[in-house]
Amino acid sequence: MPSLADSKPISWAEQVEAGEDGSLPPATEDFDDHNNLKTITEYKYNDDGKMVKVVKTYKVERRRVPKSIARRKNWRKFGAAESDPPGPNPSNTIVQVEEINMQIILNKESKNQDQAEEDPLSKLKSQKLVSCRICKGDHWTTKCPYKDTLAPIQESLEGGDKKKQDDPGTPVGGGSSSTPASGGGSKPGGKYVPPSMRDGASKGRGETMKSARDESATIRVTNLSEDTRESDLQELFRPFGPIQRIYLAKDKNTGQSKGFAFINFHRREDAARAIAGVSGFGYDHLILNVEWAKPSGTS
Amino acid sequence: MKPILLHGHERSITQIKYNREGDLIFTASKDNQPNVWYSLNGERLGTFQGHNGAIWCIDVNWDTTRVLTGSADNTCKLWDCETGKNLNTLDVKNAVRSCGFSYSGNLLMYTTDKTMGHPCEIHIFDVSDPSQMKTGEPCIRIPINGPKITSAIWGPLEQYIVTGMEDGEICQYDVKTGEKIHNVTEHSKQINDLQLSLDGTMCISASKDTTAKLFDTSTLDHLKTYKTERPVNSAALSPLQEHVVLGGGQEAMEVTTSSTRIGKFDARFFNLVFEEEFGRVKGHFGPINSLAFHPDGKSYSSGGEDGYVRVHYFDNEYFDFRFEF
């Protein structure tokens, strides 16, 4: 059981002076009757040779326990602990200072996670990553076997619609329409019409207009793990539609992700589907959070 | 919660047991000194010195007077708990894998490994008979044909011993006749740990096949399965709530390829009835080898490959947590 302190308080200055002689000042014990806290103040030299003050606070409790337990508490220590003083020996008993909490995993979240996992994966599987513009086969356009026969007919029908797309593949969401564009394309025997002036082309400042409008097709994804890269985000969001821009917030010095990113889709409905599809999706060891980006946030 | 770290062993922990009243924790490790600690504040009471090899198993009788340890140095030793003195040494032909006192403390059993031409056996002694203890001749010796026993516990009424085998089988051996009463094969790989519930009617088996299964002790009916992705080294049933805790490891191959983020090995809590995981507690630096609940269910201890024993006292959230169904 702890002993009551009987030393008078020594001022810090005196203690430092005592230390300058080379000897450590004595350890003091303080007993706070009101709160039942016992404080032991010790001095020792740390690794750098500097004198360090170590303050240990113990809570003294009185407990009622069955007789046998109380008897056992009074047993003498044996074996390797024979020479230990009463109370826990700090070399083998350490109270962890950082709190460790039980991470509660609710079953509902994991169920959603499973579904979300399946959806983009199944979308990826069902969607052709490479498709030919001419015959919609699983090959690049230039490698199409029907290049000579179908190609001219296709071009006359679809006009300038293809020119807008970034990738050679045709995504499931944004299917190119087959509406005949009047005066569009290179009609055999017709005058050449530049793409920007064809029907269906975005007029003049189409790009800037689009980018201003597209801020509404921007989503913010948070709770990314620190080793996520732009390519991961590209892979993850590509199934929902063509992406205009990806901005992943990175720490300048380490290059690690700060945990959030902004994805600009070309179309708002793709962005909406991305929110529905990726939100709650488990990526790496974290569950992603996807929502509309607030307009002032993206720049 | 702020776990108390007990660092009394230099090598990995093999088993942790609480005594019946819960105030002492007995820890066995691959270093040759079992330790005993006060569970309240983690203060070390003492160590048992005398073994020369890794201690595979440890058990304490109901009134905390005798401690039994089984070791890889081919002996099983009986100790006095208060003084740490070695009362008896039973010489065995092989390493002792699991040991235990029966419910009354009158009988003790241990199981041996299957090596060096000697088959795996269960030896049962009567503690109160001094002649047996002196000569080291077991009063009952049950040889086991086939796969070796990797884990064994007494049945609740001292009538049979439930054993887990290397191939995933769980068998019941009658103590009086030595016959195999029952066996079931539900697991596909070896059973790492077997533990009884508080009243002894159910037992949970932890297996290398990444699952833990709940069985009825007397009929060996398979009741529940708890799935994880890692081999389960130990599983324990909470005496207070309908929870099960599983602790496991990692396939050896994965160790070098996975990141060494500190303390990411976790103990997983499952609901007993719904078999669904509801919580994880991180902290160990290596796979968890043994888990034990305090008899009052308000705390538990885990021992890992890192040699640390962590004693956790549950927060109020644990007791308030209600599983929604």
Side-chain angles (χ1 to χ4, degrees):
Chain A
M1 303 316 281
S3 57
L4 284 172
D6 56 359
S7 59
K8 57 182 197 302
I10 311 173
S11 78
W12 178 233
E14 284 174 19
Q15 288 165 353
V16 170
E17 279 175 21
E20 279 174 3
D21 294 342
S23 61
L24 290 173
T28 56
E29 269 185 27
D30 256 317
F31 195 68
D32 181 358
D33 252 327
H34 190 59
N35 295 328
N36 279 333
L37 289 172
K38 173 174 153 188
T39 314
I40 296 184
T41 313
E42 290 174 337
Y43 299 90
K44 61 171 190 173
Y45 289 110
N46 72 352
D47 293 333
D48 297 328
K50 300 212 175 76
M51 185 155 65
V52 189
K53 182 178 174 191
V54 180
V55 180
K56 289 186 213 160
T57 315
Y58 296 95
K59 188 159 180 206
V60 179
E61 280 186 353
R62 284 186 141 260
R63 273 187 165 220
R64 302 204 90 176
V65 292
K67 248 191 259 179
S68 47
I69 298 183
R71 256 183 247 133
R72 259 174 251 142
K73 196 73 177 67
N74 286 327
W75 280 355
R76 271 192 60 214
K77 297 193 182 183
F78 55 87
E82 235 173 325
S83 43
D84 279 354
N89 182 347
S91 67
N92 11 30
T93 311
I94 310 152
V95 178
Q96 178 138 355
V97 179
E98 300 95 42
E99 288 253 345
I100 300 219
N101 289 314
M102 186 185 294
Q103 297 168 297
I104 305 281
I105 302 170
L106 294 169
N107 58 335
K108 287 182 192 153
E109 274 199 37
S110 62
K111 278 202 194 124
N112 283 343
Q113 191 177 316
D114 279 336
Q115 282 174 0
E117 237 176 77
E118 276 153 25
D119 279 350
L121 273 180
S122 54
K123 274 195 179 152
L124 266 176
K125 280 184 196 146
S126 61
Q127 147 199 328
K128 290 176 269 187
L129 290 169
V130 177
S131 75
C132 160
R133 282 187 298 249
I134 300 168
C135 66
K136 307 289 178 269
D138 233 341
H139 47 257
W140 300 104
T141 313
T142 48
K143 303 276 185 288
C144 182
Y146 303 112
K147 211 168 25 170
D148 309 317
T149 50
L150 285 183
I153 304 171
Q154 291 273 350
E155 278 167 36
S156 64
L157 283 175
E158 289 171 30
D161 210 23
K162 297 189 284 289
K163 303 294 188 280
K164 271 197 260 172
Q165 284 159 9
D166 303 330
D167 323 88
T170 314
V172 171
S176 52
S177 59
S178 51
T179 51
S182 57
S186 52
K187 263 196 312 220
K191 201 166 167 261
Y192 172 73
V193 180
S196 54
M197 304 224 325
R198 294 182 198 168
D199 257 353
S202 49
K203 313 270 180 353
R205 281 169 231 98
E207 283 305 311
T208 48
M209 257 171 70
K210 246 164 75 101
S211 55
R213 229 186 308 132
D214 251 4
E215 296 321 292
S216 63
T218 308
I219 57 174
R220 175 182 61 229
V221 52
T222 48
N223 205 27
L224 292 167
S225 80
E226 67 266 26
D227 25 332
T228 308
R229 297 279 164 267
E230 279 91 348
S231 47
D232 302 338
L233 295 171
Q234 169 82 9
E235 246 173 32
L236 187 59
F237 286 95
R238 187 67 191 82
F240 300 97
I243 298 173
Q244 190 192 30
R245 184 171 167 237
I246 295 182
Y247 174 71
L248 172 64
K250 277 192 279 220
D251 183 23
K252 291 288 170 288
N253 305 322
T254 67
Q256 281 196 320
S257 154
K258 279 197 172 168
F260 65 96
F262 292 98
I263 318 275
N264 281 30
F265 281 87
H266 280 290
R267 287 182 287 267
R268 202 193 141 87
E269 63 265 26
D270 292 347
R273 281 183 306 111
I275 293 181
V278 184
S279 195
F281 178 42
Y283 198 77
D284 208 4
H285 56 288
L286 298 171
I287 298 192
L288 301 183
N289 200 7
V290 192
E291 52 198 33
W292 292 112
K294 299 222 174 48
S296 53
T298 53
S299 54
Chain B
M1 42 192 158
K2 293 209 166 84
I4 307 177
L5 270 63
L6 308 178
H7 189 208
H9 292 286
E10 285 140 35
R11 297 198 51 204
S12 54
I13 308 288
T14 51
Q15 196 167 41
I16 299 181
K17 281 258 170 80
Y18 277 89
N19 64 344
R20 192 185 59 98
E21 281 149 319
D23 60 313
L24 294 176
I25 300 177
F26 294 83
T27 60
S29 149
K30 285 188 186 164
D31 74 8
N32 51 16
Q33 286 192 15
N35 286 7
V36 57
W37 316 73
Y38 289 107
S39 63
L40 187 60
N41 59 356
E43 186 180 339
R44 188 157 72 163
L45 170 59
T47 64
F48 299 98
Q49 293 165 325
H51 272 297
N52 288 323
I55 319 279
W56 290 120
C57 51
I58 187 167
D59 196 15
V60 57
N61 66 351
W62 67 275
D63 59 358
T64 321
T65 50
R66 301 274 178 271
V67 177
L68 185 66
T69 55
S71 161
D73 66 355
N74 294 1
T75 62
C76 187
K77 284 183 193 272
L78 190 65
W79 313 80
D80 177 61
C81 194
E82 182 172 351
T83 58
K85 216 168 83 128
N86 178 6
L87 297 171
N88 253 303
T89 303
L90 304 165
D91 287 310
V92 191
K93 300 275 188 303
N94 265 329
V96 177
R97 273 292 160 168
S98 37
C99 63
F101 280 105
S102 66
Y103 187 75
S104 65
N106 285 333
L107 296 172
L108 64 87
M109 70 96 183
Y110 56 84
T111 66
T112 64
D113 255 352
K114 180 167 109 175
T115 50
M116 295 195 292
H118 295 284
C120 165
E121 290 179 345
I122 306 178
H123 290 186
I124 300 172
F125 280 78
D126 190 331
V127 182
S128 44
D129 181 358
S131 61
Q132 275 180 32
M133 304 309 281
K134 254 196 273 207
T135 60
E137 263 306 305
C139 64
I140 305 165
R141 188 199 292 260
I142 306 174
I144 311 287
N145 304 317
K148 72 170 186 200
I149 295 179
T150 47
S151 183
I153 46 174
W154 277 97
L157 297 173
E158 300 188 7
Q159 289 169 343
Y160 49 83
I161 294 179
V162 183
T163 64
M165 320 300 252
E166 203 181 10
D167 60 353
E169 220 183 310
I170 297 182
C171 309
Q172 257 182 14
Y173 286 90
D174 184 293
V175 165
K176 297 196 181 67
T177 63
E179 275 168 24
K180 193 194 282 200
I181 313 172
H182 247 124
N183 70 329
V184 282
T185 312
E186 293 280 347
H187 281 292
S188 47
K189 291 199 190 153
Q190 82 177 38
I191 310 283
N192 284 331
D193 193 21
L194 274 174
Q195 288 197 29
L196 282 177
S197 65
L198 181 64
D199 57 4
T201 55
M202 301 187 290
C203 63
I204 187 163
S205 60
S207 165
K208 206 165 147 193
D209 67 359
T210 73
T211 64
K213 291 190 200 267
L214 188 70
F215 294 90
D216 180 300
T217 320
S218 47
T219 63
L220 288 189
D221 280 337
H222 170 211
L223 301 169
K224 298 281 177 194
T225 305
Y226 308 98
K227 294 198 180 72
T228 64
E229 325 87 49
R230 299 164 173 171
V232 187
N233 288 342
S234 184
L237 292 160
S238 169
L240 184 65
Q241 302 217 49
E242 285 172 355
H243 296 158
V244 165
V245 62
L246 264 60
Q250 206 178 20
E251 290 289 354
M253 311 184 276
E254 285 172 43
V255 171
T256 50
T257 55
S258 59
S259 69
T260 50
R261 235 172 301 162
I262 299 174
K264 73 169 189 159
F265 289 90
D266 46 25
R268 299 190 186 186
F269 285 81
F270 287 72
N271 186 288
L272 180 79
V273 179
F274 297 108
E275 304 172 346
E276 299 216 10
E277 188 182 335
F278 66 84
R280 290 189 192 185
V281 179
K282 280 197 192 326
H284 272 286
F285 296 86
I288 295 178
N289 284 338
S290 185
L291 285 164
F293 266 102
H294 188 288
D296 69 6
K298 295 191 187 154
S299 62
Y300 81 97
S301 299
S302 55
E305 193 73 23
D306 50 13
Y308 280 89
V309 177
R310 296 167 77 91
V311 183
H312 307 82
Y313 282 86
F314 291 117
D315 296 326
N316 291 329
E317 285 100 39
Y318 172 78
F319 302 109
D320 294 337
F321 178 70
R322 289 279 168 270
F323 204 79
E324 288 166 46
F325 59 95

